[in-house]
Amino acid sequence: MLKSLGGDGNSSFEDVHGKSLRDFGLENLDVRDMFNEAMAADSRVISSVLVTKCKDIFQGLTSLVDVGGGIGVMGRALAEAFLHIKCLVLDLPHVFADAVLLKWVLHDWSDEDCLKILKQCRDPIVLKEKRGKAIIIDIVLDPKGGTRESVKLQLFLDL
Ligand SMILES: C[S@@+](CC[C@H](N)C(=O)[O-])C[C@H]1O[C@@H](n2cnc3c(N)ncnc32)[C@H](O)[C@@H]1O
């Protein structure tokens, strides 16, 4: 990004808006969506070249992670072109997700850490205009005891 002429280290965007494009996008859904779609449009062009002219790069691979892969256009194109490669896309939850799934994650963290984790999950999905969800699949402690099996499991998870 162009740096401003003021020499303060900020980008021109930061000088005008008081925050980075990334932070601005977190609060302005239209801007965020427009940015993600612009990146996706670029990926459509680049991926079409990649899968036709650069096949050799992918020979022998069985898996690939597209880090910061946006809404997954590149990952999908690679997965479709190279069926032997398992493609994963890693990006921030707000980029691609309506929901965050936490299965067997929270039970072995302290209450304090659980709050931190849930807050991290909440911020991106709250921005999804109330469509977002946090889906938690985990053990629920029964203060009255529960069945023998469930108590055994609770004790096991406390170890
Ligand atoms: C400039 S975009 C590039 C997107 C995609 N690779 C492309 O070329 O179309 C950078 C991406 O990095 C993602 N990103 C930023 N910080 C990240 C982090 N800590 N973990 C994962 N992804 C991150 C952003 O959400 C964004 O989608």
Side-chain angles (χ1 to χ4, degrees):
M1 188 177 285
L2 284 175
K3 293 289 174 189
S4 72
L5 296 176
D8 55 8
N10 289 343
S11 68
S12 308
F13 189 94
E14 282 170 296
D15 283 345
V16 173
H17 296 283
K19 56 187 71 168
S20 67
L21 175 58
R22 184 183 304 127
D23 290 341
F24 190 81
L26 284 175
E27 294 158 14
N28 296 273
L29 301 186
D30 290 349
V31 172
R32 185 195 66 196
D33 290 348
M34 192 170 63
F35 176 81
N36 288 336
E37 193 41 53
M39 295 314 306
D42 181 75
S43 289
R44 282 182 202 105
V45 176
I46 303 288
S47 65
S48 68
V49 176
L50 213 50
V51 302
T52 52
K53 310 273 186 212
C54 309
K55 287 182 185 166
D56 291 355
I57 295 174
F58 301 95
Q59 265 181 8
L61 297 182
T62 55
S63 57
L64 172 151
V65 182
D66 185 4
V67 178
I71 60 175
V73 171
M74 177 65 82
R76 178 180 296 230
L78 293 176
E80 285 172 0
F82 306 111
L83 297 179
H84 59 286
I85 303 181
K86 183 176 178 184
C87 294
L88 305 173
V89 177
L90 173 75
D91 208 292
L92 299 173
H94 70 264
V95 171
F96 59 87
D98 284 338
V100 174
L101 173 70
L102 295 162
K103 176 175 174 290
W104 290 122
V105 172
L106 296 179
H107 63 270
D108 52 9
W109 293 94
S110 68
D111 287 355
E112 198 178 55
D113 285 332
C114 283
L115 281 176
K116 282 189 205 158
I117 294 167
L118 289 170
K119 172 141 183 13
Q120 287 293 319
C121 294
R122 185 201 62 186
D123 288 350
I125 57 180
V126 159
L127 289 167
K128 285 278 177 180
E129 295 161 332
K130 297 189 182 157
R131 284 180 293 133
K133 287 182 185 171
I135 302 165
I136 298 165
I137 302 172
D138 220 311
I139 190 156
V140 177
L141 296 178
D142 180 353
K144 292 186 202 128
T147 65
R148 188 181 154 83
E149 284 71 25
S150 70
V151 170
K152 262 166 64 181
L153 182 59
Q154 288 167 22
L155 291 173
F156 173 70
L157 289 169
D158 279 345
L159 291 178

